[in-house]
Structure formats: C-alpha cells, structure tokens
C-alpha cells in the first residue's frame, strides 16, 4: 500500500489549514516544550503536546497552505534531526552568525511607526541621562545612576538589565546580568537554533546570549542611523558570517 504524503489538514469549521505531525517514536521521550517553525514568513513557537506538533498555517488558500506546510515541515524535520544528534558545542563564528537574527529584528523596527517613536524617546532619555551624569559631581553620580536605573527597569522590565550591564559596565552584579541575559535573549537564541535544526550544549549558552546582546546593540546603532536617513546598514553587515552547522 502506498504511503500517504504529509499534507495540510482542516479541522471543524475553521477556514484555515493546519499542520499536524506526530513526534517520531524514537525521540518522543526527548522532545518537550516548543519548537519554532516558519509560518507565513514569521517565526512561530509551537507547543509539542500529546505526541504531536499542531499549528495553524494562517491561510485558507490551499496552494498557499501547501507552500507553508512544506516550509514548516522541512524545519520540523531538521529539528527532529538535531534532537537525534544531540547538543553540540557552538563556536564563536557560529554564535556570531546566529546573532545576526537579533540585528535584523532590531533594524526591522524602522517600518513600525510606533516603535520608531518609542525608540526616539528612549534614545533622547538616555542621552539626557549621560549628559547629567557627565556634569554631576562625583558624590552625586551614584545616586543619579541608581535613580535612572530604577526608572528604566520599571519602564522596560527586568530583562533590560542585560542592556544596562553592557552600556554601563560595572553597574550590574554578574548574577543579575546572567539572569537578565537569559530572560531577554534566551527565547531568541532558542528560535535561531531551532530554525537551523541545531541544539547547543550548555557550555555554549553564555557566549550565544552575549553575542545576541552585542548584535542587538549594533542593530540599535544602525537603527539610529536609519532614523537620520542613512539606510546603508539595512543589509546584514559583513561582520556576520554565514551560519554553518556544527559537524561530528
């Protein structure tokens, strides 16, 4: 009997097509949580539940659904392959290559009017703080930094401590910085790895998180230049090498 080809399905009265794939039996005890799949050009976290991966393809058009299914299914097969091969160490070159995703995400804000306005407000506030800090007497600087630190974290969230630690070295305790790095960049690192069918070992995690921070900050600078009309950094800069998966 011929095997049925994997294809999109529909359920109930929903107009949209679905991807539903059973987790292979040989790795069912190794996969849990979420896998990130490309759906309609967007990275989509999808829960792995009851032995299946199921997600809407976000289209009712059968031809479009078939294309989206193929792309997502291929990414899922890459994920299964990575699970079978197990975690691998990630080199410096690979970490930098992966971090290009954080750069692209930041500069993509240029097309979001609300985000542009928010970014300009944040930049103006930070510039004002730096000016006040430079003019303040040495005895007043610690109080000024502490007050600014508290207000920014209240506005941006605790994970913003990871950014503060980079722009103001020594202002954040190492254990706080590590927690903030994981909170701010952990999901993005996982997404970048999953889309390339790679699992990293624990020893590579700190380097990956810091490279994503470095890339985000580089993207922030490029975004600032875009806000001034300079779009020369819109393409991925040459210092991000192409990603080549680990072997062996």
């Amino acid at each position: 009997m011929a095997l049925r080809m994997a294809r999109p399905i529909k359920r109930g009265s929903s107009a949209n097509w679905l991807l539903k794939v059973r987790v292979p039996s040989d790795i069912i005890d190794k996969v849990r949580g979420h896998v990130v799949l490309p759906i309609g050009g967007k990275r989509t976290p999808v829960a792995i539940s009851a032995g299946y991966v199921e997600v809407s393809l976000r289209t009712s058009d059968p031809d479009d659904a078939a294309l989206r299914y193929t792309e997502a299914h291929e990414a899922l097969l890459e994920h299964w392959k990575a699970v079978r091969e197990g975690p691998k160490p990630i080199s410096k070159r690979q970490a930098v290559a992966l971090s290009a995703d954080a750069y692209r995400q930041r500069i993509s804000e240029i097309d979001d009017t609300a985000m542009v306005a928010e970014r300009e407000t944040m930049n103006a506030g930070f510039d004002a703080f730096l000016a006040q800090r430079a003019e303040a007497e040495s005895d007043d600087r610690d109080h000024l930094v502490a007050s600014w630190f508290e207000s920014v974290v209240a506005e941006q969230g605790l994970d913003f401590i990871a950014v503060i630690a980079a722009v103001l070295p020594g202002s954040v305790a190492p254990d706080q910085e590590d927690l903030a790095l994981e909170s701010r960049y952990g999901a993005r690192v996982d997404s970048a790895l999953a889309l390339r069918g790679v699992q990293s070992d624990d020893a590579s995690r700190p380097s990956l998180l810091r490279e994503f921070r470095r890339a985000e900050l580089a993207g922030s600078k490029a975004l600032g230049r875009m806000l001034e009309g300079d779009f020369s950094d819109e393409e991925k800069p040459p210092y991000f090498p192409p990603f080549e998966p680990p072997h062996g």
Side-chain angles (χ1 to χ4, degrees):
M1 183 176 67
L3 293 176
R4 187 176 65 177
M5 294 292 291
R7 62 179 186 270
I9 64 172
K10 278 196 173 183
R11 172 178 294 169
S13 60
S14 174
N16 285 341
W17 291 89
L18 303 174
L19 173 146
K20 184 175 182 180
V21 178
R22 186 191 297 272
V23 177
S25 59
D26 63 314
I27 57 173
I28 196 166
D29 294 331
K30 298 180 181 179
V31 296
R32 61 186 64 86
H34 293 77
V35 60
V36 179
L37 301 178
I39 306 291
K42 295 183 178 180
R43 300 176 182 188
T44 306
V46 183
I48 300 172
S49 177
Y52 283 91
V53 173
E54 181 176 339
V55 62
S56 170
L57 295 170
R58 299 174 183 167
T59 181
S60 59
D61 180 83
D63 293 333
D64 193 22
L67 292 173
R68 294 186 180 193
Y69 183 95
T70 298
E71 183 182 26
H73 190 246
E74 288 177 354
L76 187 57
L77 293 178
E78 285 297 314
H79 180 68
W80 298 155
K81 179 182 177 183
V83 171
R84 290 187 177 99
E85 292 178 348
K88 297 283 178 31
I90 301 297
S91 70
K92 177 73 170 182
R93 176 184 292 274
Q94 290 164 335
V96 173
L98 288 165
S99 73
D101 289 6
Y103 179 91
R104 293 191 195 95
Q105 182 179 16
R106 177 46 53 87
I107 66 171
S108 70
E109 294 176 7
I110 194 67
D111 297 317
D112 186 325
T113 304
M115 287 299 298
V116 166
E118 180 180 340
R119 190 65 54 194
E120 289 179 323
T121 300
M122 285 182 60
N123 291 344
F126 185 61
D127 289 343
F129 160 72
L130 291 179
Q132 287 180 322
R133 183 170 177 258
E135 295 172 359
E137 298 291 337
S138 57
D139 293 342
D140 296 330
R141 285 180 183 170
D142 287 346
H143 175 72
L144 181 64
V145 170
S147 177
W148 175 81
F149 186 105
E150 184 177 339
S151 65
V152 169
V153 169
E155 179 181 340
Q156 297 295 323
L158 287 171
D159 68 351
F160 198 72
I161 289 174
V163 176
I164 296 173
V167 298
L168 292 176
S171 62
V172 177
D175 57 339
Q176 276 188 303
E177 181 179 4
D178 290 343
L179 289 172
L181 281 164
E182 182 62 46
S183 176
R184 186 172 184 85
Y185 302 107
R188 283 185 262 180
V189 167
D190 292 341
S191 173
L193 290 166
L195 282 176
R196 292 162 179 85
V198 176
Q199 288 190 322
S200 70
D201 62 5
D202 291 342
S204 303
R205 189 75 174 181
S207 175
L208 280 164
L209 294 170
R210 281 166 170 76
E211 289 303 331
F212 268 65
R213 175 174 64 184
R214 189 205 305 267
E216 182 183 62
L217 292 175
S220 293
K221 292 180 180 179
L223 181 62
R225 292 188 287 273
M226 288 179 180
L227 293 174
E228 295 174 356
D230 178 1
F231 281 74
S232 60
D233 292 318
E234 189 167 17
E235 294 299 320
K236 186 180 71 171
Y239 53 77
F240 290 113
F243 179 76
E244 297 180 2
H247 300 288

